Amino acid sequence: MPFSCFFLFLAIEVNALHAASGTQDFGFGIACPLGYFPCGNITKCLPQPFHCNGIDDCGNHADEENCGDNSGWSQQLDAIYDKKAFQYSLDLETDECLVGSVPIECLCRGLELDCDGAGLLVIPSVSSNVTLMSLKGNQLRKLIANVFKKYQDLQYLYLQNNNISFVSGHAFRGLYNLTKLYLSHNKITFLKPHVFEDLHKLEWLIIENNTIKCVSPLTFYGLNSLILLVLMNNSLAQLPDKHLCQHMPRINWLDFEGNHIHNFRNVTFISCSSLTVLVLRRNKISSVNENSFSALQRLAELDLANNKIESLPQHLFKDLKELSQLNLSYNPIQKIEANQFDYLIKLNSLSLEGIEITNIQRRMFSPLKELSHIYFKKFQYCGYAPHVRSCKPNTDGISSFENLLASIIQRVFVWVVSAVTCFGNIFVICMRPYIQSENKLHALSIMSLCCADCLMGIYLFMIGAFDLKYRGEYNKHAQLWMDSIHCQLVGSLAVLSTEVSVLLLTYLTLEKYICIVYPFRFLRPGKYRTISILVLIWMIGFVVAFIPLSNKDFFHNYYGTNGVCFPLHSEQSESTGGQIYSVIIFLGVNLVAFIIIVFSYGSMFYSVHQTAITAMEIQNHVKKEMTLAKRFFFIVFTDALCWIPIFTLKLLSLLHVEIPGSITSWVVIFILPINSALNPLLYTLTTRPFKEMINQVWHNYKQRRSLGGKNNQKMYGPSFIWVEMWPTEDTSPELTNPANFTDSSES
Ligand SMILES: *[C@@H]1O[C@H](CO)[C@@H](O)[C@H](O)[C@H]1NC(C)=O
Ligand SMILES: *[C@@H]1O[C@H](CO)[C@@H](O)[C@H](O)[C@H]1NC(C)=O
Ligand SMILES: *[C@@H]1O[C@H](CO)[C@@H](O)[C@H](O)[C@H]1NC(C)=O
Ligand SMILES: *[C@@H]1O[C@H](CO)[C@@H](O)[C@H](O)[C@H]1NC(C)=O
Ligand SMILES: *[C@@H]1O[C@H](CO)[C@@H](O)[C@H](O)[C@H]1NC(C)=O
Ligand SMILES: *[C@@H]1O[C@H](CO)[C@@H](O)[C@H](O)[C@H]1NC(C)=O
Ligand SMILES: *[C@@H]1O[C@H](CO)[C@@H](O)[C@H](O)[C@H]1NC(C)=O
Ligand SMILES: *[C@@H]1O[C@H](CO)[C@@H](O)[C@H](O)[C@H]1NC(C)=O
């Protein structure tokens, strides 16, 4: 029964595997567009994100079925052999004990004996017609010669969780009818050759969690029916140099997970031609011979995860025509050939977790027509396998399989922030020329700043536009997008914007600093000097932004490391050149600029504070200082808000701290544009000249209407109105409420 059941299970499994393979037609004749899946037998297609999201979106629960990668057999086997092992007593029809007298601690039903946890020190003696003996969790220490000899009808023998350290070479003599033998969780270190000689009918041999150090083909002598051999969590240092499966011709499933195997020869598996599953996970295998698996024509699952394999021979998989699941995760593999997987035409599931694939390309996965599940180290790699239905990880925090911007909040706010930034800056650019009482050179710098900040808005707009373009099917385009010239240009636009903005802010700050700290020296820059500084700043910005595009060898794909094309943290450590460059920019130039800004405003405030005490009357001075302090605080605060997270991120990624990708996209959409969006407010909309202009306009408007009570003379400006930077005029604003200044000085 169990034997045929097992094969039935295998057959069903193979059919299921083939049925589940890669087509979009899911067997109900309903074809859905790419990125959509059908709701079982009803004609409804839903986008991929609805699959397995815990909500019955289809209405018939079809979207919540098959949520796992079912191509793995190991999980299925676990389920099956655990159930079969412990369900025996449920199948019984009789409660009567048919095996004569049994020890008092034991239970007996029919021909089955259950002595679990009975504290036995020796094998109990019962009638010879017993078919099942469960002795789990006892204190057996030895299995002496011929101890089971009389139990020739025994089919199931459970000896887990004992203290067995010695197994006689003749211990299992006479168990001609045994089909399943469990020896897990004991202290067996050695199995003598021929120890299983009589077990011609044994199908399952499970010896997990012992300390077996070596096995030879002769250990398994006589196991003519063995299908499943599990030697998980033992101490095997190597597999025999000779034909491992010589004496177990039907072996189907070999599990050597969690041993210390460091190598095996190309002859080891040569006689294992029936092998379907080979698990070598968590060993110390460092190299594999090109011909190691050449005899395994029927192999369906190969698990080499968590080993120390550094290179894969080019034709390693050439004979594995039936392989449907391959796990190579967490090996220090340096390089994967483009044609490495070409032979695996039936592959269904491929795990490459934890592997840096520097030369990744579509060519690698395109021959794998049946592939439906693929697992990578990085989300970015998913773009190279666009035909695979399920790719994990399914997001890098920024993008998802479906969308360039994974989060809906980001998809909406990229437009909002872009609009605010663009509008504010364009408004200021248009308004500035109409402000009369203004230093023209200062206005020029401010307009320059607005232009730079406006580029940030354009950058966000482009990201939003491409997100819209790729909506729902981003993965198909991800790699092309990140490699495209559009991405490069958009990225350099953002860097140009931030760098010019940072340099201009520093320049403006230094200008004010000089004016305030040395008010009596005539250090105001002339027209020529201002213009050349502005030109210089823009040139530096362009150079910084476009240098990475000039040398592909040095920088690789500097901007295209993520979907938003901003080189904030490139954990893709492919180009050290690019990394050093971005550290120099973000932690060098920008940090220095930030420190200059903080320091300058600090000493400006101190300087004003000092002069005020000597030159001004106290009452006025307090107000003025309050407003100045607030204004300085806000300028430094927004700079800090914008830059400190970025410095921190950069520093952390320098220290190899794992940074979730989602942080990057939030920084790019919300933090980075803070300055660009607020600069118009800080440097124009809340300054005295602008306020005066607005007042003028308002006043004219009122006069034209020649209405309005005298009480309405008071003007309410925007919520923050501060004096302009140079507190030389005497018309200081009246302080009515700390957050809301009104100005009644006009009229
Ligand atoms: C779909 O299948 C379910 C059972 O799997 C059945 O009850 C239902 O009637 C079927 N619906 C259609 C439209 O065929
Ligand atoms: C098993 O053996 C015992 C005695 O050894 C006997 O009483 C019993 O009837 C036998 N049961 C069967 C099903 O043969
Ligand atoms: C297992 O056997 C060893 C001696 O072989 C003994 O020292 C140890 O206490 C035993 N452990 C248990 C849990 O019985
Ligand atoms: C057990 O094996 C013996 C000899 O191989 C055979 O005669 C007998 O019928 C078997 N018993 C069962 C229950 O299969
Ligand atoms: C094998 O060892 C690992 C690690 O020690 C442990 O997590 C796992 O539960 C063990 N498996 C079995 C079946 O004992
Ligand atoms: C034995 O199994 C337990 C879990 O059941 C695990 O924690 C332990 O590490 C295993 N021991 C060995 C040597 O694998
Ligand atoms: C096994 O590998 C050795 C070299 O390691 C080679 O000489 C031999 O031909 C290989 N045998 C087979 C059957 O591939
Ligand atoms: C592949 O192996 C890794 C590491 O042991 C494991 O986490 C992962 O689940 C495996 N993949 C599949 C598909 O079984």
Side-chain angles (χ1 to χ4, degrees), residues 442-459:
H442 184 66
L444 197 65
S445 310
I446 296 290
M447 276 162 74
S448 229
L449 181 64
C450 288
C451 285
D453 289 339
C454 200
L455 293 181
M456 182 53 75
I458 294 173
Y459 159 75

Side-chain angles (χ1 to χ4, degrees), residues 24 64 103 177 191 288 326 343 377 381 438 462 467 496 543 551 591 626-627 664 674 727-728 739:
Q24 286 296 108
E64 299 303 318
N177 292 310
L191 287 169
V288 213
L326 176 61
Y343 306 100
K377 179 179 184 187
Y381 293 162
E438 250 263 300
M462 301 286 276
D467 172 54
L496 174 69
V543 168
N551 191 337
L591 187 59
M626 280 284 289
T627 50
T664 305
I674 285 180
T728 45

Side-chain angles (χ1 to χ4, degrees), residues 185 209-211 232-234 258:
H185 299 271
N209 248 46
N210 279 276
T211 48
M232 188 195 273
N233 286 356
N234 278 283

Side-chain angles (χ1 to χ4, degrees), residues 267-522:
V267 290
T268 302
F269 298 113
I270 213 133
S271 47
C272 306
S273 53
S274 309
L275 205 61
T276 324
V277 176
L278 177 58
V279 182
L280 291 164
R281 191 188 287 194
R282 291 197 293 113
N283 276 283
K284 299 193 164 63
I285 301 165
S286 56
S287 71
V288 213
N289 189 289
E290 185 156 281
N291 295 312
S292 297
F293 304 126
S294 59
L296 306 179
Q297 313 259 345
R298 291 168 66 177
L299 200 66
E301 180 177 338
L302 177 59
D303 190 340
L304 290 167
N306 297 85
N307 276 286
K308 303 212 167 359
I309 302 170
E310 287 185 11
S311 70
L312 295 171
Q314 194 167 357
H315 301 295
L316 181 64
F317 304 125
K318 67 176 181 303
D319 298 301
L320 305 181
K321 300 272 190 292
E322 295 291 328
L323 201 68
S324 74
Q325 188 175 31
L326 176 61
N327 196 341
L328 295 170
S329 302
Y330 306 109
N331 276 290
I333 295 175
Q334 302 293 333
K335 188 164 190 281
I336 295 180
E337 299 292 338
N339 59 358
Q340 189 77 60
F341 305 118
D342 281 13
Y343 306 100
L344 303 174
I345 45 174
K346 292 209 176 148
L347 202 66
N348 229 279
S349 163
L350 176 60
S351 298
L352 298 169
E353 290 161 77
I355 300 178
E356 191 86 39
I357 314 173
T358 45
N359 63 329
I360 192 163
Q361 47 196 280
R362 282 184 179 212
R363 163 73 185 79
M364 274 178 197
F365 312 107
S366 55
L368 306 174
K369 297 276 182 266
E370 309 256 301
L371 201 63
S372 63
H373 290 80
I374 194 161
Y375 304 84
F376 284 123
K377 179 179 184 187
K378 292 171 189 166
F379 168 75
Q380 278 87 338
Y381 293 162
C382 285
Y384 293 98
H387 67 290
V388 182
R389 242 195 303 151
S390 158
C391 182
K392 296 269 165 58
N394 44 21
T395 174
D396 61 352
I398 299 174
S399 311
S400 68
F401 216 52
E402 295 81 26
N403 293 309
L404 200 161
L405 295 172
S407 144
I408 177 84
I409 302 174
Q410 293 174 352
R411 288 206 288 279
V412 171
F413 271 84
V414 73
W415 294 104
V416 174
V417 177
S418 158
V420 167
T421 309
C422 279
F423 176 78
N425 285 293
I426 290 174
F427 179 71
V428 168
I429 293 172
C430 297
M431 288 300 275
R432 270 280 166 179
Y434 298 105
I435 299 177
Q436 301 299 322
S437 62
E438 250 263 300
N439 178 339
K440 288 296 170 215
L441 291 176
H442 184 66
L444 197 65
S445 310
I446 296 290
M447 276 162 74
S448 229
L449 181 64
C450 288
C451 285
D453 289 339
C454 200
L455 293 181
M456 182 53 75
I458 294 173
Y459 159 75
L460 289 176
F461 178 83
M462 301 286 276
I463 293 295
F466 277 103
D467 172 54
L468 210 58
K469 183 177 170 189
Y470 299 138
R471 183 74 43 95
E473 45 171 45
Y474 174 64
N475 189 51
K476 271 205 295 182
H477 310 277
Q479 209 48 51
L480 289 176
W481 158 244
M482 288 194 273
D483 290 338
S484 71
I485 188 72
H486 299 116
C487 179
Q488 320 286 310
L489 288 180
V490 165
S492 35
L493 206 65
V495 170
L496 174 69
S497 165
T498 52
E499 288 316 301
V500 172
S501 184
V502 162
L503 293 177
L504 276 172
L505 286 180
T506 317
Y507 168 67
L508 286 171
T509 307
L510 285 176
E511 201 189 22
K512 278 178 216 161
Y513 175 76
I514 290 167
C515 278
I516 288 181
V517 178
Y518 308 104
F520 305 114
R521 283 179 229 174
F522 204 70

